[in-house]
Every structure is written in C-alpha cells, then in structure tokens.
Amino acid sequence: MTLVPVPDHAAAYQASVVALDGRALLIEGEPASGKTSLALALIDRGGVLVGDDGVMLADVGGVLWAFPHPATRGMVEIRNVGIVTMQAAPAPVALAVTLAQGAPRHVEGAGSRTICGLAIPSLALWPDTPVLWLRAEWAMKVHGLPILPAVRDSGPQ
C-alpha cells in the first residue's frame, strides 16, 4: 500500500469518510449511530475508504481534502467481526452528513458548515432505514460539491 503524504497543516477530525466517484462523503454522528455501517455499505457499492472514525482534513488550494489518518490508515472496525484492513485514499470533501434521529423529513436544500475554514454542504440523515446507503448516494448526487477538473488533476497524489 503506497502512503499518501498528509499535509503538515492537516487537522485530525472524527468522522468516517468514503469517496464516491472521487468525491468524499464525510459521515458524522453519535457513537453507534451507524457511521461505519454506512461506510461499509458504500464501499460495497464501489466507494473507496478514506478513513473510519478518524481522518485528517486540510485546505488544499481552497478545497477541503480528507486524508486517511496515519495511525489507522486502511483499518475499519466492524462491530462483532473485528478490525479489517482495506485500501484507503484521500479525496476532496463534497458533502458532510450527520446521522441523527431528529433529521428532518423534508429539506429545501442542503445547509452549509464551515470546516477548516471552508464552506461544505451538509445534511442530516435519519439512520434507521435499510436503504441509508441509497439516501447517502442521492444526497451526494443532489447536494454534493462537484469536482472541478483542476482539483482532480492537481490534488494530492
């Protein structure tokens, strides 16, 4: 596994992160809210792990990037199974979701959060559904930031 250098100014951040078609979905929530389960479902559908329950975030040229945390790179703790390893890679953050029982049923549009000084679209998702992965994929399609060609070509290698 090739190590991708994390920028010196990157900050540790507690979230699970999965890249879908090159764009990262930052998944937050209370302990046992389903962050890892959602991440695993998205990985099973072709997503790429960035980090489970902890990543490094950095502003790289005005774009928020999520990097695997060096201490847990490629490790996922699967409840009742154990720790498994898989490939992990950095990606630009397109959307932040919070798994919350009080998530609103109807939304007019995504909210916005400032993370590392950058505005990121955000939504709350109700975690108790067997198709949470599908809602997350649609949230990315509808509300996620696009990857600009310059970001794709000049991002961390």
Side-chain angles (χ1 to χ4, degrees), residues 42-125:
L42 293 169
I43 291 165
D44 189 54
R45 294 179 51 78
V48 175
L49 175 70
V50 176
D52 178 43
D53 212 25
V55 295
M56 303 296 290
L57 297 179
D59 176 341
V60 178
V63 176
L64 182 64
W65 277 80
F67 296 85
H69 194 290
T72 57
R73 181 185 183 85
M75 291 189 260
V76 178
E77 181 185 0
I78 302 175
R79 190 166 296 188
N80 307 121
V81 175
I83 296 175
V84 300
T85 59
M86 61 183 70
Q87 296 247 311
V93 177
L95 179 68
V97 297
T98 301
L99 303 183
Q101 294 295 327
R105 179 177 175 153
H106 302 286
V107 296
E108 295 294 321
S112 181
R113 298 211 5 241
T114 300
I115 304 173
C116 294
L118 298 168
I120 302 298
S122 66
L123 288 173
L125 296 179

Side-chain angles (χ1 to χ4, degrees), residues 1-4 73 87-88:
M1 183 182 308
T2 303
L3 293 180
V4 175
R73 181 185 183 85
Q87 296 247 311

